[in-house]
Amino acid sequence: MIFKSSYISNQLSVRLLFVSACFILLNTCSGGGGGSSLTPQEFCDSLVGNVYSTAEGDATVDATQLVAATADNPEYCNVQGTMPPSLGFEIKLPTDWNERLLAIGGGGFDGAIPQPAGYLLNENYVTVASDGGHTANGVDENWALDDEKLNDYAYRASHKVLLVAKKLIKKRYKQNALFSYYEGCSNGGREALIQAQRYPEDYNGIIARAPAFNFTWMMMAGNQNYQQIFSSAATQLSTAKIATLSDAVLDACDDLDNVADGIISNYAACSFDPSTLLCPGADADTCLTQDQIDTVNKLSGIYRLQDSTPYYIGWPSGGESDPLGWVYWIMDVNEGHSEYSKRFIQYFLQLGESYDPMDFVPDDNLPMILNRSALIDASSTDYSEFRALGNKLILWHGTNDWAISFFSTANYYNEIVAAAGGQANADEFVEFFPAPGVQHCFGGAGPDFVDLVSPLREWTENGTAPSAQDLFLLKFNFDTLSIENSRPLCKYPEYPEYNGVGDVTLFTSYSCVE
């Protein structure tokens, strides 16, 4: 995911722990694999110091630990290793294997190894993850000045580590994985799409949540937001004014799905004009000045180069006042768009640590921007090889995501459909699911959790598309440790509309409509 705030990271950890506990009773894992003649402890210990040669270089196992089974998770051997120049990885080998591999995408600029949710561990996948090719301190991105490290981050890391995982699987279980899957959100979603586009034979099924597929141009848009907002105090919105904006958006769009519940589900019909909030006289918390309205319009508009060439689509209205909305992503000069675009310009575009992004003009730096876009972005719409292999792709995105525009992913999906030759062809290998009211990867007013790995597996292995599996989203209350509400998971361009009868918190009271 594309964040660095310790608060957000801690919140995600808590959510995954609770979700894991909720899904223990749903475990339907199947044991498999002939396995080694050694005991699990002996095998795990025997891996330390081993070097595995692959087509992408040698991998060294630096440390292992046999993690004992608990009430939440089964026993597994945790393998930690490295590959040149500085790629760190972690592979978990369950004692009772389900004969499948699941890779986990990273977040932001990577630099740390992500952990799989406990409920996935409980289903006995071999799980694979990496740090993207470097260790980062969350302050600078000096590693991006090294071409080899940048290449690992851009496209190679997941592929390189998969080759190692395959060797360890063959050594541990005396067979290959029957199926391999990949799931990631944000930058992890970009990494997921990179696998489908550049290494179509690596994974049978891929989940890309809130994918930062056009990473480079998204950073350009983020810097435009930074310049718009922080060039003058007059263009900034206080927390009180953000609440005023958010309330006005809800007043205009909340009940378009037949129920006013704080969730804008019918996002396509939401048409909000911020000029209706223009202060009639003196400035106040209950209205916006023209400069502040210009800021709102900036974020909802089309981002263009000086010759009017569009390069990024703006954000839909909704969720501005969420804790993970504008306060973090838009209005914090040291976080969100400001911080990420700053480090991208300074290090990825090699303009230097002392360079002031307030002075940045994309048109003056197009050669390097285009170079980085070709290297990092996963914006290709050609999935012909991936599709020909019978592989499957799920896209998912929260409509209130203020890190990565939901509209951007929706447009990208439409382009994939066109490139595939129409909806029927696209439906063979890709489906897109919006999550109304959800912020970046999680959070927001809308229900934000759905296990997509299981439906991807059903689609890949048995042919039933996720849209035919009656899936639904859950919203957990982490104060009461209970389920707060739920909605059906609707395939784009459908959205969940309240039927007019029934409990408004239950997904059974809604239907997916266009």
Side-chain angles (χ1 to χ4, degrees):
M1 305 167 193
I2 190 167
F3 52 68
K4 73 184 182 78
S5 165
S6 59
Y7 166 76
I8 301 179
S9 300
N10 291 337
Q11 286 293 306
L12 181 60
S13 298
V14 171
R15 289 163 187 267
L16 291 180
L17 285 172
F18 179 58
V19 168
S20 301
C22 289
F23 274 74
I24 290 171
L25 295 178
L26 301 181
N27 177 28
T28 56
C29 53
S30 58
S36 167
S37 59
L38 300 175
T39 67
Q41 185 68 66
E42 290 171 339
F43 176 82
C44 200
D45 292 342
S46 73
L47 296 178
V48 179
N50 288 1
V51 177
Y52 297 91
S53 296
T54 76
E56 293 287 351
D58 291 345
T60 302
V61 174
D62 301 315
T64 63
Q65 178 188 6
L66 186 68
V67 179
T70 67
D72 295 338
N73 300 128
E75 180 180 84
Y76 63 90
C77 176
N78 194 57
V79 181
Q80 296 176 318
T82 51
M83 296 182 74
S86 59
L87 172 61
F89 62 83
E90 194 165 286
I91 299 170
K92 301 184 191 301
L93 303 169
T95 299
D96 185 21
W97 183 39
N98 70 2
E99 301 180 272
R100 288 154 181 82
L101 175 148
L102 175 65
I104 308 296
F109 293 136
D110 279 338
I113 299 175
Q115 297 299 311
Y119 75 92
L120 294 174
L121 283 177
N122 198 55
E123 293 183 6
N124 286 323
Y125 289 93
V126 166
T127 63
V128 183
S130 84
D131 60 11
H134 59 274
T135 300
N137 58 16
V139 177
D140 63 57
E141 310 301 333
N142 274 311
W143 58 267
L145 303 177
D146 183 307
D147 286 344
E148 289 302 304
K149 293 179 182 180
L150 181 59
N151 287 339
D152 277 349
Y153 171 82
Y155 67 93
R156 291 190 316 201
S158 295
H159 174 68
K160 288 169 69 171
V161 176
L162 176 65
L163 300 181
V164 182
K166 288 181 175 180
K167 286 184 174 290
L168 286 173
I169 286 173
K170 193 65 177 288
K171 184 178 180 66
R172 174 66 179 89
Y173 307 108
K174 308 304 181 186
Q175 67 172 79
N176 297 321
L178 298 182
F179 295 91
S180 295
Y181 299 105
Y182 195 107
E183 180 174 28
C185 190
S186 193
N187 179 55
R190 178 193 69 84
E191 292 169 337
L193 295 179
I194 284 287
Q195 305 312 302
Q197 294 168 17
R198 303 195 191 190
Y199 304 101
E201 296 180 354
D202 276 3
Y203 295 96
N204 305 103
I206 287 175
I207 300 163
R209 296 180 185 250
F213 66 93
N214 50 357
F215 196 87
T216 303
W217 294 105
M218 181 182 71
M219 292 297 171
M220 300 301 99
N223 182 249
Q224 290 288 301
N225 294 339
Y226 165 73
Q227 292 178 346
Q228 165 69 25
I229 295 165
F230 295 104
S231 60
S232 168
T235 54
Q236 299 171 32
L237 277 69
S238 65
T239 300
K241 283 179 174 282
I242 293 173
T244 294
L245 170 64
S246 188
D247 290 344
V249 171
L250 285 175
D251 287 344
C253 302
D254 189 2
D255 62 359
L256 295 176
D257 59 353
N258 290 338
V259 61
D261 58 356
I263 303 171
I264 299 174
S265 293
N266 191 357
Y267 49 86
C270 180
S271 178
F272 174 72
D273 182 1
S275 66
T276 58
L277 292 176
L278 182 64
C279 294
D283 190 8
D285 288 341
T286 56
C287 61
L288 302 184
T289 66
Q290 185 58 55
D291 286 334
Q292 292 162 347
I293 290 173
D294 291 344
T295 292
V296 178
N297 286 330
K298 177 69 176 180
L299 269 73
S300 63
I302 304 295
Y303 294 77
R304 301 178 184 275
L305 298 175
Q306 290 176 350
D307 64 0
S308 295
T309 300
Y311 65 81
Y312 199 76
I313 190 170
W315 281 257
S317 299
E320 292 85 357
S321 64
D322 287 341
L324 300 181
W326 275 39
V327 173
Y328 176 81
W329 286 108
I330 309 300
M331 291 296 165
D332 191 332
V333 71
N334 296 312
E335 299 284 1
H337 293 190
S338 300
E339 180 65 14
Y340 277 99
S341 63
K342 169 186 173 182
R343 286 189 281 155
F344 187 87
I345 289 168
Q346 290 174 337
Y347 296 99
F348 286 71
L349 301 186
Q350 300 183 351
L351 292 178
E353 185 177 357
S354 62
Y355 183 83
D356 185 356
M358 191 63 72
D359 300 327
F360 183 78
V361 178
D363 299 75
D364 296 340
N365 296 272
L366 278 180
M368 181 60 89
I369 291 173
L370 294 173
N371 175 279
R372 292 310 187 233
S373 179
L375 182 68
I376 299 170
D377 294 355
S379 52
S380 172
T381 58
D382 181 5
Y383 287 90
S384 54
E385 291 185 56
F386 185 80
R387 173 187 170 194
L389 292 168
N391 298 335
K392 309 300 181 185
L393 171 64
I394 296 176
L395 299 172
W396 177 99
H397 205 141
T399 62
N400 284 5
D401 186 341
W402 285 102
I404 301 171
S405 170
F406 164 79
F407 283 163
S408 180
T409 299
N411 277 2
Y412 178 61
Y413 170 74
N414 289 333
E415 291 171 356
I416 293 175
V417 171
Q423 193 66 56
N425 290 338
D427 286 346
E428 294 178 5
F429 76 96
V430 58
E431 291 194 333
F432 173 36
F433 298 95
V438 174
Q439 289 280 344
H440 186 53
C441 296
F442 66 90
D448 56 359
F449 176 79
V450 59
D451 168 19
L452 293 178
V453 175
S454 297
L456 175 64
R457 181 171 159 178
E458 174 65 23
W459 190 16
T460 304
E461 300 179 24
N462 299 314
T464 304
S467 58
Q469 295 181 39
D470 296 324
L471 303 177
F472 53 90
L473 292 148
L474 297 173
K475 180 72 171 180
F476 294 111
N477 185 315
F478 295 97
D479 293 326
T480 62
L481 298 183
S482 62
I483 297 175
E484 193 171 275
N485 60 49
S486 59
R487 293 287 187 279
L489 185 68
C490 300
K491 178 185 173 185
Y492 180 86
E494 295 183 336
Y495 71 92
E497 182 181 69
Y498 180 55
N499 296 327
V501 294
D503 188 337
V504 297
T505 69
L506 295 180
F507 70 94
T508 52
S509 302
Y510 295 78
S511 298
C512 292
V513 300
E514 286 196 27

